[in-house]
Amino acid sequence: AMFQRLVAQLNAQGHRCWVPKLRPIDGRRGIHDLACKLKQYVDEQLGPDEPFALVGFSMGCIVSRQYLQVLEGARRVPAFFAISGPHEGTLLAYLYFGKGARDMRPGSALLTHLKMTEDRLSQVALHVYWTSLDLTILPARSCDWRLAADRLNSQALLHRFMPADRKVCADIVQR
């Protein structure tokens, strides 16, 4: 439901869209587990070589980066749109259980490895969308991934509104 506006706008422009439902949604088995499921989903829907643009939201950005950087998804993804992803971690992850929450804590082994392998994204156009008013990703600046040349602070009122934010959707559709 969060992606309904974006999917409708992209479909209207002639794009095919998929919105995988990766389980468990709380990431209790870890980010890598979800990234493997994303890879399997993509390969089943598109085949092993068809290029596609990737959009991630929140924890989905870190799952997407694991897919791109560790599972070699970057070889087929020309553009990655990261919406409110905790690229530097979030302090709220200390309040949740499970491996996925531990993976999203600032300074975690997974986030450190992603930081060290960012060069694997050199051929991927990176677009970042964040809100300085985010109360889910703490600090909010963790979403402002400096590696991306294109970064937009939409100033949406809440984290959960970001995938449907008019500015975010318009920019993704335009790109």
Side-chain angles (χ1 to χ4, degrees):
M2 286 185 188
F3 286 101
Q4 188 173 7
R5 172 181 279 157
L6 180 59
V7 168
Q9 290 179 11
L10 288 169
N11 284 338
Q13 295 294 316
H15 299 282
R16 295 180 300 161
C17 298
W18 292 268
V19 183
K21 292 178 174 65
L22 306 176
R23 305 270 187 229
I25 63 169
D26 63 6
R28 69 181 72 148
R29 293 187 195 116
I31 298 298
H32 188 75
D33 172 71
L34 292 174
C36 289
K37 290 173 180 170
L38 175 61
K39 180 182 184 333
Q40 179 181 356
Y41 180 89
V42 167
D43 289 348
E44 288 171 358
Q45 298 301 315
L46 296 156
D49 297 315
E50 186 175 344
F52 67 99
L54 181 60
V55 178
F57 169 60
S58 196
M59 178 175 69
C61 291
I62 305 307
V63 171
S64 296
R65 287 186 58 195
Q66 185 76 0
Y67 165 73
L68 292 167
Q69 293 173 236
V70 175
L71 300 178
E72 300 181 359
R75 67 177 176 76
R76 62 187 291 188
V77 174
F80 174 46
F81 301 87
I83 304 171
S84 292
H87 301 285
E88 301 292 330
T90 176
L91 296 174
L92 281 186
Y94 286 101
L95 301 177
Y96 293 93
F97 67 94
K99 187 165 175 22
R102 289 190 302 275
D103 287 342
M104 290 191 299
R105 292 175 183 166
S108 73
L110 184 131
L111 291 177
T112 299
H113 185 257
L114 290 177
K115 180 75 173 164
M116 291 174 21
T117 60
E118 287 179 338
D119 62 312
R120 296 176 185 173
L121 299 172
S122 63
Q123 301 301 310
V124 180
L126 304 174
H127 310 281
V128 169
Y129 307 90
W130 69 293
T131 174
S132 52
L133 306 174
D134 204 318
L135 298 175
T136 300
I137 308 300
L138 298 174
R141 72 179 178 277
S142 177
C143 297
D144 186 16
W145 190 20
R146 302 289 179 184
L147 184 65
D150 298 307
R151 303 188 329 261
L152 172 69
N153 179 357
S154 76
Q155 297 186 333
L157 292 178
L158 292 173
H159 178 81
R160 62 174 284 170
F161 295 152
M162 286 295 292
D165 181 83
R166 291 184 192 282
K167 289 184 234 170
V168 171
C169 289
D171 194 74
I172 291 173
V173 169
Q174 182 264 325
R175 291 178 189 281

